[in-house]
Amino acid sequence: MKHLILLRGINVSGHNMIKMEPLKTMLKNIGFSNVETYIQSGNVFVETDDESTFSVGFKIKQEIFKTFGHEVPVIVIGKNDLESCFKINPFLKEKEVDTKKLYVAFISKELPSSVINELKISQFKPDEAVIDGTRIYIKYAIGAGKTRLDQKYIEKKLNVTATIRNWNTVTKLLEMY
């Protein structure tokens, strides 16, 4: 079974540096096959007989700490979940939407849509967000670098692990699946 592994916070501003070749070698050494990475920011495909996303993520998180000494949050995404991003993202339905301003926060656990109130999105206007299970679709008015509605804020408010990818990356990852 093929899994998409999203590693949060590696190779950002000189922190949690993990080169892709040693990461691929580590993953192969612990039993994963057909290991493929996309860019340096922690997008990795692996194949394994293990169907449990929890088990796969736990194994990778432990091995990254053992091998590289970094405590790295790991989120495992299935192909169906990634495909759902394209069907459900409400911002794609808008006319002439600028996909460069669209992002998806992948969340470590299922969230009810009522949790959106806890994010207090109105304080981030004109940025917008919609929760759908294990994803939060975000449309930044200006850009991801100019907002406080970021991964750290989402994690703190909702008590989850989150990692955010821009829409171009999400699109490319689905093409690679």
Side-chain angles (χ1 to χ4, degrees):
M1 171 170 238
K2 191 171 187 177
H3 297 282
L4 169 59
I5 312 303
L6 301 177
L7 306 177
R8 194 208 62 226
I10 69 164
N11 302 333
V12 178
S13 304
H15 298 290
N16 291 340
M17 297 305 292
I18 299 175
K19 296 208 179 293
M20 293 302 103
E21 284 308 311
L23 176 65
K24 287 168 77 169
T25 299
M26 179 209 81
L27 291 168
K28 289 174 185 173
N29 288 344
I30 60 171
F32 294 105
S33 61
N34 296 321
V35 178
E36 185 180 4
T37 61
Y38 174 66
I39 61 179
Q40 301 293 310
S41 60
N43 306 295
V44 185
F45 288 97
V46 299
E47 288 187 21
T48 178
D49 291 336
D50 192 344
E51 294 183 19
S52 167
T53 57
F54 176 80
S55 171
V56 169
F58 185 76
K59 184 177 183 179
I60 291 171
K61 181 180 173 114
Q62 281 191 311
E63 196 63 28
I64 287 173
F65 184 75
K66 195 161 64 172
T67 304
F68 301 104
H70 302 309
E71 186 74 34
V72 175
V74 175
I75 294 180
V76 182
I77 305 292
K79 185 175 184 182
N80 290 342
D81 193 31
L82 201 57
E83 288 174 335
S84 291
C85 288
F86 290 82
K87 295 174 189 161
I88 297 171
N89 188 334
F91 302 118
L92 289 178
K93 295 173 177 84
E94 297 176 2
K95 287 186 180 181
E96 300 179 29
V97 66
D98 183 356
T99 57
K100 290 181 181 139
K101 294 182 178 178
L102 299 184
Y103 289 74
V104 180
F106 293 94
I107 308 298
S108 59
K109 65 181 180 184
E110 186 85 17
L111 297 171
S113 56
S114 60
V115 167
I116 195 76
N117 296 330
E118 293 176 36
L119 277 181
K120 299 184 167 116
I121 295 298
S122 61
Q123 70 182 336
F124 299 104
K125 292 284 183 199
D127 293 342
E128 298 177 62
V130 175
I131 293 178
D132 175 54
T134 57
R135 297 175 299 272
I136 301 175
Y137 301 103
I138 304 169
K139 182 172 78 172
Y140 292 121
I142 298 170
K146 305 215 189 292
T147 185
R148 292 184 344 258
L149 179 59
D150 59 11
Q151 160 261 316
K152 286 181 184 176
Y153 177 83
I154 290 168
E155 287 184 332
K156 184 177 178 184
K157 280 296 192 187
L158 301 180
N159 193 29
V160 295
T161 298
T163 187
I164 298 177
R165 298 296 188 269
N166 67 46
W167 193 251
N168 289 339
T169 297
V170 173
T171 301
K172 181 63 178 175
L173 292 172
L174 183 58
E175 289 171 8
M176 293 173 69
Y177 229 119

